[in-house]
Amino acid sequence: MSSNIKVQRICQHCGNEFTARTTTTMYCSHRCNSAAYKAKKRAGKVEESNKHTQRVKAQPIEELKTKEFLSVTQVSKLIGCSRQNVYSLINTGKLKATNILLKKTIVRRCDLDELFTEPIRSPIPQTQVQEIKEWIDAGAFDIADCYTITEVQDKYNISETTLQNLIKRHEVPKIKKGWYAYVPKAIIDKLLSKTPKS
C-alpha cells in the first residue's frame, strides 16, 4: 500500500528542498544518501586516525610516568618545560636530584611528585604582616563592619581633629587600607552616642 504523505523537507546533504514521502526521509535522492554515507565513513576514519596519532604521541609520556628514576630531559618532557627550567628547580632546591656521573643528573619520580603536592609558600610582605596584626588587634573586624573616617564625620557631624583625638584617647583600632582608614562601627557608635559632638 503506497503512502499518500507528502512533506516538504531539506536534504541533509545538498541542502535543497524536496518533497518526501515519509517524515523521516533525510535525503532528496539516492545519490545524496550515498554521498552522505561516504562522508560519514570518511569522517569516522579521520577521527580514528587522529585518535591513533594522539595515542602514539602520548605513549612516551605514559611510559615516563611509570619510571622510578628520570633524567633531566625526561623530567622536562613530563612536566612540559625546558631543561634549563628543570636545572633551575634543582639549583634552587625546589626539586631534589642526584649526580650519579659527570653530566648525568637523576631525579626520583617521587621527588618530582612531591614538588607538585607541596603547598606553595610565598613570603608575606612586611607591610601585610603589620596590617594582619592590626586587624587581629582590632578583633578581626570585617570591612563591612567598619566606617571610614569621612563616614563617621558625616554621620555624627564631628570634625576630623575631634574624631582623631577621640580615636587616640580611647585607643580605637584604626586600620589603613589603601587610601582609606577604617574604624569599627560598633565601637564608634558606642562612643559617639554618649560623647558630646563638637
Side-chain angles (χ1 to χ4, degrees):
M1 183 176 175
S2 61
S3 172
N4 292 324
I5 295 176
K6 290 184 180 181
V7 290
Q8 293 304 114
R9 296 183 64 81
I10 300 296
C11 179
Q12 297 295 302
H13 180 68
C14 67
N16 292 329
E17 185 177 353
F18 70 99
T19 302
R21 295 289 183 178
T22 71
T23 57
T24 57
T25 304
M26 294 189 293
Y27 306 104
C28 63
S29 64
H30 178 70
R31 183 179 179 181
C32 279
N33 193 344
S34 296
Y37 175 77
K38 288 177 182 177
K40 185 177 179 182
K41 292 289 285 184
R42 187 164 53 249
K45 287 180 180 179
V46 170
E47 185 180 356
E48 183 56 39
S49 177
N50 288 339
K51 285 181 179 178
H52 176 70
T53 302
Q54 290 301 321
R55 284 196 296 270
V56 170
K57 287 171 68 177
Q59 187 175 359
I61 299 296
E62 293 303 317
E63 288 176 0
L64 288 179
K65 288 180 181 178
T66 62
K67 287 181 176 288
E68 187 178 353
F69 299 98
L70 301 165
S71 67
V72 170
T73 301
Q74 290 171 332
V75 171
S76 69
K77 286 181 180 177
L78 193 57
I79 64 177
C81 71
S82 67
R83 283 165 47 89
Q84 185 178 355
N85 285 338
V86 176
Y87 278 117
S88 178
L89 289 170
I90 293 169
N91 293 335
T92 55
K94 292 180 180 178
L95 178 62
K96 295 177 184 175
T98 304
N99 291 320
I100 57 172
L101 294 170
L102 186 65
K103 296 186 178 179
K104 184 67 174 177
T105 303
I106 293 296
V107 176
R108 291 191 308 170
R109 178 59 203 275
C110 59
D111 290 330
L112 181 61
D113 291 340
E114 190 178 335
L115 177 67
F116 295 99
T117 54
E118 272 189 355
I120 298 172
R121 298 183 183 90
S122 56
I124 301 174
Q126 193 57 41
T127 53
Q128 290 188 21
V129 171
Q130 184 59 32
E131 279 188 0
I132 292 169
K133 183 179 182 304
E134 288 173 350
W135 276 103
I136 292 172
D137 291 344
F141 289 98
D142 190 271
I143 287 290
D145 299 324
C146 295
Y147 292 123
T148 63
I149 297 299
T150 306
E151 286 174 335
V152 178
Q153 288 179 253
D154 291 342
K155 181 174 182 178
Y156 288 99
N157 192 25
I158 186 173
S159 70
E160 185 175 357
T161 304
T162 304
L163 178 57
Q164 293 292 356
N165 289 337
L166 184 74
I167 290 170
K168 189 175 181 180
R169 186 166 63 249
H170 292 277
E171 296 181 345
V172 177
K174 185 170 70 171
I175 301 94
K176 187 122 169 83
K177 299 284 283 181
W179 292 99
Y180 298 97
Y182 294 88
V183 286
K185 289 181 180 179
I187 297 174
I188 290 295
D189 288 340
K190 187 176 179 181
L191 283 172
L192 289 178
S193 62
K194 59 182 181 182
T195 303
K197 300 169 191 171
S198 59

